[in-house]
Every structure is written in structure tokens, then in C-alpha cells.
Amino acid sequence: MFAWKILGRVEQTIEETQQQLSQEVVKTSEANALLESEVAERQKAEEALVHLNAHLEERIAERTVHLETATRELEQGRHELEKAYAELTSRQAIILHQDKMASIGLLAAGVAHDINNPIGFVTNNLEELRIYLTRLQAFIEEQQAIIQASAPPEELKKLHEDWNQLGIEYILDDFGALIAESLEGAGRVSDIVKNLRNFSRVDDFAFKLADINECLESSIKITQHELRHKAQVHRQFGEIPKIFCCPQQLNQAFMNLLVNAAHAIDKHGEVTLKSWSDSDGVHISIADTGCGIPDELLPKIFEPFFTTKEAGKGTGLGLSIVADIIKLHQGEINVQSRPGQGTTFTITLPVKSEVGDA
């Protein structure tokens, strides 16, 4: 009985242990199934994440390409807009300048027409007067000789006193000089009118063979009123070939540079014009001993409407027009300046001798 009881307890313990093991096995199986499910889901999630990453990189690459394309298009559009704005500003400056010069041209043409006629009369009358006075002087000398030979001493003495008192001898000697100076002045007026008429024909854009030295000389004459009180002009013209150009336009460019040179000189200075040629073309330099241009302003001087002058004394179109005219002739313009010492503008124009070259 004792053994039976012991065996019964052992068997019961074994059964309980088996039941517990069975329960643990079931739990372990369930845990394994759950773990396998989680592993499978994690694998799916990882695959989905890898796919999403790959797709996201493609989308980022596409968006990057699209953004770069849009940026390039925007940059190109900006450049085109800046170019169009610069051309518009340049055209506006040219139109304003041409309107101004056209008005001056009409005024100059009328003034020149009104001046030419009286100047012609004055010149012709002075020539006739010189002839008349020459004859009159010869007659007076002949008459004086006759009087000296036949008049009484008292009358000769009286005539001699009157001759000295009235300064007749000085008058006869000065006649020629007065008429010569008057003819020279009339000739200067005629030259000024001629240069003004030639210069003011701004609508004449015809290209033709021209001597640049003559253009420089004409520009000096037309700006003489600005230069004569401010600067001594030095001409260092070399032997250069005639080039195919628009003289009226180049006259405007040279005039603008000469006027700027005069304005840059405070009291009195020097302006030097040089011309020479080499294998690169014809070169012109206009140098002054004025106030100079600060380094920070040099890149801006050819921009339309940029000026350092006081309000009402400058439009900022002068150098812009110069640059456009030189560009029209396929040339180059450079500037060198030192504040307090002066400025030098150097222009290079290609040598063209035929219409087809322009």
C-alpha cells in the first residue's frame, strides 16, 4: 500500500509535469508562430522601405533635374531681360541724343543760312574796300607830291601840322592791317558756320572714306568756346590712312570727349590729341590734365544716364553715346585715369576701305 501510494503520487506528478510541458510547448509554438509572423512583417516592411527609398531617390533626382532646368531657364530669362533692358536704355539714350542733335541741327541750319549771306556781303565789301583804299592811298601820295612841289611854304606848314594832328600817316599804314584782320574774322565766322553745319547733320548716317585727322580738327573748332578758356590744345596727328566711317558720328564722339576734358579741368590745363596707325587699325587718344576719375567709377562711366556732374549740368549720355558710336564702327574705346592727374581715352577703329567691309 505504501509503494502504491508512492507510485500514485509519482504518476500524478508526471502527469502534471506532462501537462505543464504540453502547455509550455503550446505557448512556445504560439510564440514561435508570432515571432515568425513578426519576422515576415518586418521583412515586408524592410522590402517596402527599400522600394520606397529607391523610388524616393528617383523622385528626388527627377525633382533635382526639373529644378536645375527651371533654374537655367530662369537664369537665361534674366540674362535676356537684362540684355533687353540694356538695349532699351541704350536706344533711349541714342534717341534722346539724336532728338537733341536734330533740334540743334535745324537751329544751326537756320542760323548758318542767316549768317552766310551777311558774312558774304561783309567779305565782298571788305575786299572791295581794300581795293578802293589802295587806290585812294596811291592818289593821296600822288596828291601830296604835287602839293609839296607847288604850294606856298605857309600852306605846306599848315597841311603838315594837320597831317600830323589827324594822324593821316598812321591811318594810311593801319588801313591794310584793319582790313586784313576784318577779313580774317569774317573767314573765321564762315569756318565756324561751315563746321557747325557739317557737324549738325546727325541724320546723315552715310559711311564714306574720311580723314580722321580732319574730323579731329573739326571737333576742336566746334568746341573751341569750351577749350580756349580752360586748356591749351596740343595736336600730335600722325600719318594715318583714310578709313570707311561715318564722319558726322565720329565728330559727335570726339566733341563729347573734348567737352568732358574741358569740364574736367578746374582752372587751366592741357588737352592733347594724338593719332597713329598700326596693324590693328587707326588709334586716337584724347588726354587731359583734369581732375581724373576715381577707380570705383571707371566701370560705370559708359552706362547711360550715369554722371558725376551736379544736377542740371549733365544728362549722363555723353560717354554712353561715344561708346555706342565706337561700337557702331566695330571699334574699341579704353580709358585710363588717375585722380588728380588726368584722364586718357583711347579709341581704336578698324581700317576699312570699302562698303562691303563695314
Side-chain angles (χ1 to χ4, degrees), residues 19-216:
Q19 289 178 356
Q20 291 178 355
L21 289 175
S22 298
Q23 292 176 355
E24 291 294 333
V25 169
V26 171
K27 291 180 180 179
T28 302
S29 298
E30 292 177 353
N32 289 335
L34 182 61
L35 183 61
E36 290 176 357
S37 176
E38 290 180 355
V39 170
E41 290 179 357
R42 185 180 293 274
Q43 289 177 349
K44 290 181 180 180
E46 291 178 353
E47 292 175 356
L49 184 60
V50 171
H51 178 72
L52 181 61
N53 288 337
H55 185 63
L56 182 60
E57 290 177 357
E58 292 177 358
R59 292 183 63 185
I60 292 175
E62 291 177 358
R63 291 295 180 89
T64 303
V65 172
H66 179 71
L67 183 60
E68 291 177 351
T69 303
T71 303
R72 285 195 299 269
E73 292 177 353
L74 183 62
E75 189 70 17
Q76 183 179 0
R78 186 177 67 83
H79 286 309
E80 292 177 354
L81 184 61
E82 289 179 351
K83 182 179 179 181
Y85 177 74
E87 292 179 355
L88 179 62
T89 304
S90 177
R91 292 295 180 186
Q92 182 183 7
I94 292 175
I95 291 172
L96 289 174
H97 186 73
Q98 288 179 349
D99 288 343
K100 177 182 177 181
M101 296 307 297
S103 300
I104 295 175
L106 293 174
L107 178 62
V111 171
H113 178 74
D114 292 338
I115 291 178
N116 269 337
N117 290 334
I119 284 297
F121 299 153
V122 171
T123 302
N124 293 333
N125 291 340
L126 286 172
E127 291 287 354
E128 292 292 331
L129 181 60
R130 180 165 61 180
I131 296 173
Y132 295 162
L133 289 175
T134 301
R135 295 176 183 176
L136 182 61
Q137 186 174 7
F139 176 76
I140 292 175
E141 291 175 355
E142 184 178 354
Q143 187 182 50
Q144 186 73 11
I146 295 173
I147 293 174
Q148 290 287 342
S150 61
E154 294 81 5
E155 294 181 358
L156 285 176
K157 182 179 179 181
K158 181 67 169 59
L159 288 174
H160 184 70
E161 291 175 355
D162 293 341
W163 180 279
N164 292 333
Q165 184 177 359
L166 296 174
I168 302 299
E169 185 174 358
Y170 173 79
I171 292 173
L172 292 176
D173 292 339
D174 202 36
F175 267 145
L178 291 176
I179 293 176
E181 290 177 0
S182 299
L183 286 172
E184 182 182 357
R188 288 183 181 180
V189 173
S190 297
D191 290 340
I192 291 172
V193 172
K194 180 181 177 181
N195 290 325
L196 184 60
R197 292 182 66 181
N198 292 335
F199 176 82
S200 298
R201 290 187 301 180
V202 294
D203 295 333
D204 184 6
F205 286 95
F207 276 69
K208 58 186 178 182
L209 281 176
D211 188 344
I212 296 300
N213 288 340
E214 292 181 359
C215 294
L216 290 171

Side-chain angles (χ1 to χ4, degrees), residues 7 13 35 60 70 75 83 86 162 171 175 186 225 230 249 274 281 297 300 306 312 332:
L7 290 174
T13 302
L35 183 61
I60 292 175
E75 189 70 17
K83 182 179 179 181
D162 293 341
I171 292 173
F175 267 145
H225 66 288
K230 282 291 195 73
Q249 294 292 312
K274 297 181 182 179
L297 298 182
K300 301 180 180 180
F306 176 79
E332 295 181 356

Side-chain angles (χ1 to χ4, degrees), residues 8-18:
R9 291 179 179 176
V10 170
E11 185 177 0
Q12 185 178 359
T13 302
I14 292 173
E15 288 179 356
E16 292 177 354
T17 303
Q18 288 179 346

